[in-house]
Amino acid sequence: YEAIHRFLNPEPIPGTTIAIVAGIGIIINTITALMFLRDKDKDMNIKSAYLHLMSDAVVSLGLVIGGIIIFYTHWFWIDSILSIVIAIVILLSTWRLLKGSLRLSLDGVPENIHIDDIKATALKVAGVKELHHIHIWAISTTENALTAHLVLEQGITTEQEQKIKHELKHQLEHKNIHHITLETERENEPCEAEDC
């Protein structure tokens, strides 16, 4: 709104001061953002901080360019154009973060987890016949949970069942699932209507 208002009514602004202050902003924001670079894909909060700092650095870069242009040309409307472009860049860069936040708040399946892959992992464990009624959701920005019905081969003992569950949980930890609840049943075993 302010950018459009200033575009219609340009006001004189000090281009040199803008460029110098924005240049300092580029350095500070870029160095700080690089501190979050390594862990930005592991935690949504860190990713949010990283995107915020990088957006600030981009904003500062735009202001440096705008300050230099304004200093030499006195085209004060450039400030408004840059403000609109920067607003669009920020909206586009945060769209993915917004989608991830919504997925987390609505208990959606995390983006990097695929149910077919989870089923395939389960079927590789000896004694497992099927995995169904699978529910996967994020319980934080770094941890995911799963509940499912685990169908085992006929004749599996209670001791073997515990080993199978332990092995499957271990395999699923490598798939970024940390809290696992498995309800077991045997192959061809009749089940209650709500469990089938």
Side-chain angles (χ1 to χ4, degrees):
Y1 174 81
E2 281 295 322
I4 292 167
H5 177 72
R6 287 196 315 271
F7 185 74
L8 298 173
N9 302 291
E11 298 176 11
I13 52 175
T16 307
T17 305
I18 290 172
I20 291 170
V21 173
I24 295 168
I26 290 173
I27 295 166
I28 292 171
N29 286 309
T30 302
I31 290 171
T32 310
L34 291 175
M35 293 178 184
F36 293 99
L37 181 63
R38 184 169 26 120
D39 296 322
K40 73 176 176 65
D41 293 325
K42 297 177 185 173
D43 186 308
M44 192 174 297
N45 294 321
I46 293 173
K47 186 173 190 173
S48 176
Y50 171 79
L51 286 174
H52 177 77
L53 291 163
M54 286 307 292
S55 294
D56 283 353
V58 170
V59 167
S60 296
L61 177 61
L63 291 174
V64 167
I65 294 167
I68 292 169
I69 293 171
I70 289 167
F71 176 77
Y72 285 108
T73 65
H74 298 287
W75 294 346
F76 300 117
W77 54 267
I78 292 288
D79 179 56
S80 297
I81 297 295
L82 285 172
S83 296
I84 292 169
V85 169
I86 288 165
I88 291 168
V89 168
I90 290 171
L91 285 172
L92 292 176
S93 69
T94 56
W95 177 249
R96 188 170 179 181
L97 183 65
L98 175 64
K99 287 197 315 186
S101 299
L102 281 172
R103 184 185 295 263
L104 179 64
S105 65
L106 297 174
D107 288 337
V109 177
E111 190 174 1
N112 59 341
I113 293 177
H114 305 285
I115 291 180
D116 290 338
D117 185 36
I118 298 303
K119 282 184 179 181
T121 298
L123 293 174
K124 289 178 186 174
V125 176
V128 174
K129 294 301 289 183
E130 187 185 349
L131 189 71
H132 62 99
H133 282 74
I134 303 167
H135 301 280
I136 305 170
W137 70 98
I139 56 175
S140 74
T141 58
T142 58
E143 293 189 332
N144 301 310
L146 172 144
T147 62
H149 287 202
L150 179 64
V151 180
L152 302 175
E153 293 176 354
Q154 285 286 1
I156 296 286
T157 66
T158 304
E159 184 180 340
Q160 291 171 321
E161 177 183 321
Q162 293 307 314
K163 287 181 180 177
I164 290 168
K165 287 168 88 173
H166 178 76
E167 172 63 20
L168 180 54
K169 287 179 180 182
H170 176 73
Q171 293 298 326
L172 293 178
E173 283 178 3
H174 293 293
K175 302 289 183 182
N176 200 26
I177 299 176
H178 310 90
H179 300 276
I180 301 161
T181 303
L182 297 169
E183 183 177 327
T184 55
E185 54 194 78
R186 299 295 187 269
E187 186 181 18
N188 301 323
E189 180 180 85
C191 57
E192 299 296 327
E194 64 269 15
D195 291 337
C196 295

